[in-house]
Amino acid sequence: MALRKIVEQGDECLTKVCRPVTKFDRRLHDLLDDMAETLADANGAGLAAPQVGILRRVCLVLDEESEEYLELVNPEIVSVSDETQTGLEGCLSLPGKWGIVTRPLRATVRAQDRYGDWYEYEGEELLARAFLHEIDHLDGHLYPEIAEKMLTAEELEEQRKKVFDAPVKFSIVIPAFKTPERFLREMLDSIAEQTYANWEVCVADGSPAGQSCERVLEQYAKKDSRFKYVILG
């Protein structure tokens, strides 16, 4: 396997209709392997062959549920839902750029694997968006063509803050046993190890009378500015 260069907007490869794959041979396997390594290195959600300069109907899409790449050779859109989703969309061939794009919420695609066998895949939300985004590449289209709006740097930063600075919420139920404080500290230490910008804990305290965990929560709130808590009665 080898890393391949990802071409960027302005390269003519990104505007051409790709040709179908007819030979399922070692050359195709090498292309798929190289694309997988390139996509992993770029930390992207999908990659199409024209993005690495190859005008063939081949793309990879990350299935987040299985954490595996779906290899789509000669993909076809079988159906899409009437229900839509609107959200941020980016592309490895347009680094640093993001747009607001509306696409179907669900999509079903049919494609061959590296050996020529046909399979059908169903995707929802991000997976559906990735299927349609990558197939657009194979027909010479980029997402700005259908974007409702391309974001400025200031708007992109505002969107980033909404996603990354919003508190991550956890619920903790304190069982009625003899060591509630130790249990709570272990739970809070585990959460604190994560890199959340802010986090909020809702605690249902079932510990015996006189062993309230509020003191522990106050201590964590003082030493970690990201932390807020709510005690449920």
Side-chain angles (χ1 to χ4, degrees):
M1 295 192 296
L3 291 176
R4 301 206 182 194
K5 180 183 177 181
I6 297 176
V7 302
E8 298 183 4
Q9 187 178 31
D11 191 297
E12 63 178 10
C13 284
L14 298 176
T15 63
K16 295 185 178 298
V17 177
C18 296
R19 299 186 293 276
V21 172
T22 57
K23 293 183 179 180
F24 295 82
D25 53 12
R26 186 68 214 174
R27 188 173 182 180
L28 173 64
H29 297 180
D30 288 344
L31 172 62
L32 287 165
D33 291 341
D34 289 353
M35 287 176 62
E37 184 171 353
T38 303
L39 181 54
D41 180 72
N43 195 31
L47 185 68
Q51 290 182 274
V52 292
I54 305 297
L55 295 176
R56 290 291 184 272
R57 300 191 75 80
V58 175
C59 60
L60 296 183
V61 171
L62 175 63
D63 179 359
E64 290 193 322
E65 186 172 332
S66 65
E67 297 184 343
E68 295 180 352
Y69 294 127
L70 301 179
E71 298 179 348
L72 307 179
V73 181
N74 298 325
E76 304 169 356
I77 299 172
V78 175
S79 64
V80 296
S81 65
D82 292 330
E83 192 175 0
T84 60
Q85 56 176 319
T86 300
L88 281 176
E89 195 160 317
C91 180
L92 295 176
S93 291
L94 287 81
K97 296 182 179 180
W98 293 83
I100 303 297
V101 179
T102 297
R103 293 191 185 271
L105 180 64
R106 292 176 293 277
T108 300
V109 300
R110 179 173 178 263
Q112 291 170 280
D113 64 9
R114 63 172 59 203
Y115 305 106
D117 296 321
W118 285 94
Y119 292 89
E120 200 166 279
Y121 304 94
E122 295 181 355
E124 186 171 345
E125 296 181 342
L126 179 59
L127 185 56
R129 182 181 291 277
F131 282 153
L132 301 175
H133 178 112
E134 300 309 327
I135 292 175
D136 277 352
H137 272 302
L138 305 183
D139 292 322
H141 298 296
L142 298 174
Y143 80 86
E145 298 174 34
I146 59 171
E148 299 167 22
K149 176 181 176 60
M150 295 298 292
L151 300 185
T152 64
E154 292 76 14
E155 291 169 331
L156 182 58
E157 177 62 16
E158 184 178 343
Q159 290 288 332
R160 188 201 67 80
K161 286 184 177 180
K162 287 181 180 178
V163 173
F164 294 105
D165 293 348
V168 179
K169 296 188 178 183
F170 299 89
S171 296
I172 299 177
V173 177
I174 306 298
F177 54 17
K178 294 182 179 180
T179 56
E181 290 191 8
R182 178 180 175 184
F183 172 83
L184 181 56
R185 287 183 189 280
E186 289 176 351
M187 295 293 293
L188 295 176
D189 285 342
S190 177
I191 296 171
E193 291 175 358
Q194 310 303 315
T195 57
Y196 305 120
N198 295 287
W199 47 294
E200 182 177 300
V201 174
C202 295
V203 177
D205 190 354
S207 59
Q211 294 190 33
S212 171
C213 292
E214 186 169 4
R215 180 172 60 86
V216 176
L217 295 169
E218 289 176 350
Q219 291 173 351
Y220 274 80
K222 288 179 179 178
K223 71 179 182 180
D224 192 331
S225 61
R226 301 173 301 162
F227 174 55
K228 293 180 175 60
Y229 67 90
V230 175
I231 298 178
L232 304 178

